[in-house]
Amino acid sequence: MIAEPKREILLGPLLRAGLRRSWEARDHFLRLAIVPLAALLGILVPLQQVMLEAMAKAQPNQMPEDGGAMPLIALLAIAYAATLAVFSVNWLRQLTLGMEAAPGIGLALSGRHFRFFLLFLATSIGSGFVAVILMLVLAGFGMPGVMAALLASLLIWAALVVRLSPGWIGIALDAPMPLKTAWKRTAGQGFKLLIALIAVEVPLMVVEHLVETVFATTLLIQYAPLTFTLITAALQLIGIAVQLAILVTAFPYFLRETV
C-alpha cells in the first residue's frame, strides 16, 4: 500500500490552536476539574506531610528496614496518577467528542479510564526506573548528578508521551491505535510536540514559582497552606489541559497515513 506523505507540523500554529481550543472549552474545564482538583488536594496534603517527615527521619546511607514511608508515598503517588488519568480521559473526550462523551462532572468511569491509567503508570514506572539507573551512574557527581538524572528521566517520560500520543488519545476515544503504530506515525514530529509541551510547562513553572514566592514572603504559606496547595494543583491541571489540547490538535496529522 502507498502511504500518504506526512504533513509537517508547524509549531507556532499548533501552539495557537491548542491554546485557543483550551480557552474555548474553559467552562467544560471547570466542570471536569472540580472532582480531580478536590482529589488532588486530598492526596497532595498528606503526601507533602509524609515526605517532609520521611526526610526529617532519614539517616545518611541507611534505608529503614520496613521501607519507612515509601509504601504510603507509593500508594499516594498511584492515587495521584489515577486522578490525572481520569481527568485526562474526560478532557480528551470533551475536546474531541463533545459534552455527551464526558457528561456531568466526569464520574462516568469505564474501562478506557483504567487502560489509560495503566499506560500512564507503565510509562511513569519505566522513566522512574531509568532515573534510578542514572542516579546510580551519576552518584559520584553529588547533587548535580542527581538533578541531571531526574531531568533526563523527565525528558524521557515526556518524549514517550509525545511519541505515543496518538495511542493515548485513541484509548480515550475508544479507537485504540497500537503503540507501535503511534510510535511510527509520530516519527520526525516528536521533537516539535515536545517543544510545544515545554512551551506550556515553562511559563506555568514561572507562575508557580511566583505564587510560592508571594506565599513565602507574606507568610501565607504558614497561615493558608491549603490555599497554596489548591492553587498549585489547579495550575497543574491547567497545564495538563492545555498540553492535551495541543496533542489533540496534532492528532489528525497522524491519522492520514494508510500504512
Side-chain angles (χ1 to χ4, degrees):
M1 299 176 65
I2 299 176
E4 297 182 20
K6 288 185 178 180
R7 296 180 295 163
E8 286 296 322
I9 292 176
L10 300 177
L11 189 56
L14 177 66
L15 280 169
R16 288 193 295 272
L19 289 169
R20 183 173 62 252
R21 199 166 196 158
S22 302
W23 178 251
E24 290 173 351
R26 59 191 180 278
D27 289 341
H28 296 293
F29 170 80
L30 294 174
R31 172 175 63 86
L32 296 174
I34 291 175
V35 173
L37 190 57
L40 288 179
L41 188 61
I43 293 167
L44 289 174
V45 170
L47 180 59
Q48 292 168 354
Q49 185 63 35
V50 169
M51 292 186 69
L52 286 174
E53 292 176 357
M55 288 188 291
K57 296 178 181 178
Q59 298 293 329
N61 302 320
Q62 184 178 350
M63 286 288 293
E65 293 182 1
D66 60 353
M70 287 307 298
L72 179 56
I73 291 175
L75 181 62
L76 290 171
I78 290 173
Y80 181 84
T83 301
L84 294 186
V86 169
F87 170 77
S88 297
V89 170
N90 291 335
W91 181 241
L92 287 170
R93 291 179 66 80
Q94 170 61 47
L95 289 176
T96 52
L97 302 177
M99 186 173 177
E100 292 184 1
I105 55 176
L107 294 181
L109 307 182
S110 66
R112 69 178 73 93
H113 295 86
F114 183 65
R115 290 189 294 273
F116 193 98
F117 165 70
L118 288 180
L119 180 56
F120 185 93
L121 196 61
T123 305
S124 300
I125 291 175
S127 59
F129 183 70
V130 172
V132 171
I133 294 176
L134 290 175
M135 283 182 186
L136 292 174
V137 172
L138 301 174
F141 295 95
M143 185 55 66
V146 172
M147 296 304 296
L150 289 174
L151 179 60
S153 64
L154 182 61
L155 289 175
I156 291 171
W157 182 84
L160 286 174
V161 169
V162 297
R163 289 298 304 275
L164 299 177
S165 59
W168 295 79
I169 297 171
I171 290 174
L173 303 185
D174 294 324
M177 177 185 294
L179 297 183
K180 182 179 179 181
T181 302
W183 184 271
K184 177 181 177 182
R185 292 189 177 183
T186 54
Q189 309 277 28
F191 183 72
K192 292 179 182 178
L193 293 177
L194 182 59
I195 293 299
L197 298 193
I198 292 175
V200 174
E201 190 65 28
V202 170
L204 277 175
M205 290 175 63
V206 173
V207 173
E208 287 182 14
H209 178 70
L210 290 174
V211 170
E212 183 177 2
T213 301
V214 170
F215 270 72
T217 55
T218 59
L219 300 182
L220 281 174
I221 200 165
Q222 298 179 20
Y223 298 111
L226 288 180
T227 302
F228 173 73
T229 303
L230 181 65
I231 293 174
T232 301
L235 288 173
Q236 291 176 2
L237 281 184
I238 291 172
I240 291 171
V242 175
Q243 289 172 330
L244 288 176
I246 289 172
L247 295 179
V248 164
T249 303
F251 185 55
Y253 285 77
F254 310 123
L255 297 180
R256 292 176 58 84
E257 295 177 86
T258 56
V259 296

